[in-house]
């Protein structure tokens, strides 16, 4: 992309400082680039510049040895002037008309500091719709809105006909938007929305940014009720040397994990007052490989999604009221009757070295669809291959396990060859999400040693 090219020469400068280039996470899918009567199926990749610039691009990678560029959308391209730092991912989907599109948010620090959802023709990159998402309640007394931007959208097929009809996406001002794209013609899609589905704010009414992509599922035994799950918090802003801006490293604001029911109600937006609170507690006793301080359990307050019941739940990411800056920066996973998500607790390194993650860590959480404590053990904490009451902490079923966010520790060349207890443990165990303890989670995203990339660390120039 054009935002990157002028800086490529710096890669050859030994004294150049670190700069992001094309570090956005790509997405690839099979799509029909022809017509319904004359189909042309290809594998299409849509990537972004990430923190390196303001742009998305698409490649036809049906022949990986000879990828074909399809289009580029950047802030210097007409219609895309309000693309910011594109840290999110696009969705490649088929619409009700049968046409294939890419859907993506405008990112952060855009020119107008507002939230836009872009829908483009997958083959040509032609802009089909720029949907402005502006909640009037976010306007200040002066008429100016605080800086905003959209993250990764979730494209959903609510009526199960194989085509997208709804998009759920969050913004930096705590708005979770629901966008109706069920019309067969793009000219009938909305050009703007002013009322979100949900407004995320803590108990003191401080808005909570929604950075991670939501997850959703159709509620069992219903035709149109959707449960949407998402967390709040972000981790990409750092105060500069002059002390300007927001520092996500030191932010202790209370963030929250939410589960809400979408029933096409007109009484919007929903807020936490419509939801039931679940709480996080310290585990009373060690289990297996884990100390008590590395485990947690949750409340199990009743939540009814039936008519006349509640609209969902929320879990403030504090432990017995203690704030530690815990937040959600990745999309949750839905597995049968459980919601699985990870959290991040940042802690800057004492030596000030940006290549050092300090004591940053996180938690692997498993909760029910109502946000409460699982009914049975979901972690094999003692490594005996069985999920039973031996994996309980006292009389409590463990719902959260502490993990190292940075995965297996980064070790300089010549080290980490199995000459200490930690290395020996790492060489013969399977670690959850790059954790440093014994096997947990029943194989959920758990990679056996030596299979694939088990961990990584981003290295920045000094």
């Amino acid at each position: 992309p054009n935002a990157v090219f002028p800086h490529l020469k710096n890669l050859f400068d030994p004294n150049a400082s670190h700069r992001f280039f094309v570090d956005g996470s790509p997405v690839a899918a099979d799509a029909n680039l022809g017509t319904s009567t004359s189909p042309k199926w290809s594998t299409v990749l849509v990537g972004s510049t990430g923190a390196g610039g303001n742009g998305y691009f698409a490649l036809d990678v049906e022949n990986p040895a000879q990828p074909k560029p399809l289009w580029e959308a950047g802030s210097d391209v007409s219609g895309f002037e309000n693309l910011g730092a594109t840290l999110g991912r696009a969705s490649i989907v088929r619409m009700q008309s049968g046409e294939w599109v890419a859907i993506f948010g405008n990112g952060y620090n855009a020119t107008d500091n507002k939230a836009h959802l872009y829908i483009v023709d997958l083959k040509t990159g032609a802009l089909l719709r720029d949907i402005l998402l502006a909640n009037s309640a976010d306007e200040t007394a002066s008429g100016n809105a605080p800086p905003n931007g959209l993250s990764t959208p979730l494209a959903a097929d609510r009526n199960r006909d194989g085509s997208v009809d709804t998009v759920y996406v969050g913004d930096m001002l705590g708005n979770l938007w629901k966008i109706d794209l069920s019309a067969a013609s793009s000219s009938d899609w909305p050009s703007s929305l002013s009322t979100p589905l949900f407004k995320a704010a803590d108990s003191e009414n401080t808005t909570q940014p929604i950075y991670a992509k939501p997850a959703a599922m159709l509620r069992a035994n219903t035709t149109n009720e959707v449960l949407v799950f998402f967390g709040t918090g972000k981790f990409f802003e750092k105060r500069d040397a002059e002390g300007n801006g927001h520092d996500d490293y030191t932010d202790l604001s209370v963030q929250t994990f939410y589960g809400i029911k979408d029933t096409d109600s007109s009484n919007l937006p929903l807020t936490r007052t419509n939801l039931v609170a679940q709480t996080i507690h310290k585990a009373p006793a060690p289990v297996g490989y884990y100390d008590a301080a590395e485990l947690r359990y949750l409340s199990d307050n009743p939540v009814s999604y039936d008519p006349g019941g509640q609209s969902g739940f929320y879990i403030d990411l504090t432990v017995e009221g203690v704030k530690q800056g815990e937040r959600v920066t990745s999309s949750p996973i839905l597995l049968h009757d459980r919601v699985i998500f990870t959290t991040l607790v940042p802690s800057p390194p004492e030596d000030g070295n940006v290549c050092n993650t300090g004591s940053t860590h996180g938690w692997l959480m498993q909760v029910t669809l109502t946000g409460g404590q699982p009914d049975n053990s979901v972690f094999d904490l003692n490594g005996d291959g069985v999920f039973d009451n031996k994996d309980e902490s006292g009389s409590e079923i463990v719902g959260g396990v502490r993990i190292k966010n940075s995965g297996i520790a980064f070790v300089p060349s010549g080290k980490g060859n199995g000459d200490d207890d930690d290395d020996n443990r790492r060489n013969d165990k399977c670690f959850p999400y790059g954790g440093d303890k014994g096997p947990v989670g029943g194989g959920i995203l758990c990679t056996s040693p030596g299979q694939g990339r088990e961990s990584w660390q981003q290295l920045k120039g000094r």
Side-chain angles (χ1 to χ4, degrees), residues 211-212 231-237 247-257 280 296 315-319 322-332 340-349 356-365 401-407 433 456:
Y211 172 81
T232 69
K234 58 186 176 65
F235 192 54
F236 62 82
E237 285 187 290
D247 196 337
D248 288 338
Y249 243 140
T250 58
D251 184 10
L252 294 180
S253 300
V254 175
Q255 303 301 331
T256 305
F257 189 83
I280 300 173
R296 52 174 53 164
I315 308 170
D316 282 339
L317 299 178
T318 61
V319 181
V322 177
K323 302 178 183 179
Q324 52 182 347
E326 189 170 358
R327 66 204 69 180
V328 175
T329 57
S330 58
S331 180
I340 305 170
F341 63 96
T342 57
T343 70
L344 172 70
V345 184
S347 179
N356 187 347
T357 59
S359 59
T360 296
H361 65 280
W363 290 81
L364 169 61
M365 304 291 296
V401 176
R402 190 183 190 274
I403 54 175
K404 279 189 176 180
N405 180 65
S406 58
Y433 289 79
W456 61 273

Side-chain angles (χ1 to χ4, degrees), residues 64 97 104 216 228 260 276 458:
S97 63
F104 48 86
V228 186
I260 64 171
V276 174
Q458 178 173 296

Side-chain angles (χ1 to χ4, degrees), residues 14-36:
N15 298 315
S17 59
H18 170 74
R19 188 190 190 282
F20 294 101
F21 285 89
V22 183
D23 68 320
S25 296
V27 60
D30 290 338
N32 180 11
L33 299 183
T35 64
S36 57

Side-chain angles (χ1 to χ4, degrees), residues 6 8 35 44 60 199 203 283 312 351 409 422:
L8 291 178
T35 64
V44 178
D60 182 340
K199 182 69 175 180
S203 59
D351 59 8
D422 278 350

Side-chain angles (χ1 to χ4, degrees), residues 193-346:
L193 289 177
S194 60
T195 303
L197 172 64
F198 183 84
K199 182 69 175 180
D202 64 18
S203 59
E204 298 178 355
N205 205 33
T206 301
T207 57
Q208 301 167 304
I210 304 172
Y211 172 81
K213 177 182 179 180
M217 65 180 293
L218 284 169
R219 186 178 168 227
N221 302 319
T222 66
T223 57
N224 66 343
E225 291 188 5
V226 175
L227 301 182
V228 186
F229 303 92
F230 60 98
T232 69
K234 58 186 176 65
F235 192 54
F236 62 82
E237 285 187 290
K238 183 170 177 59
R239 184 177 291 114
D240 60 26
E242 288 73 32
N244 298 319
H246 179 84
D247 196 337
D248 288 338
Y249 243 140
T250 58
D251 184 10
L252 294 180
S253 300
V254 175
Q255 303 301 331
T256 305
F257 189 83
Y258 293 97
I260 64 171
K261 179 179 67 171
D262 173 18
T263 58
D264 294 326
S265 170
S266 59
N267 187 23
L268 301 176
L270 299 171
T271 67
R272 70 164 48 209
T273 60
N274 303 109
L275 312 178
V276 174
Q278 305 286 10
T279 52
I280 300 173
H281 302 273
K282 298 177 182 178
V287 185
Y289 296 97
Y290 291 82
D291 298 330
E294 299 173 299
L295 305 172
R296 52 174 53 164
Y297 71 97
L298 296 99
S299 62
D300 192 22
N301 298 320
V303 177
S304 173
Y305 290 123
D306 292 331
Q310 294 82 26
S311 297
F313 69 88
Y314 68 89
I315 308 170
D316 282 339
L317 299 178
T318 61
V319 181
E320 298 176 0
V322 177
K323 302 178 183 179
Q324 52 182 347
E326 189 170 358
R327 66 204 69 180
V328 175
T329 57
S330 58
S331 180
I333 297 171
L334 305 182
L335 182 65
H336 304 300
D337 60 348
R338 278 176 286 153
V339 184
I340 305 170
F341 63 96
T342 57
T343 70
L344 172 70
V345 184

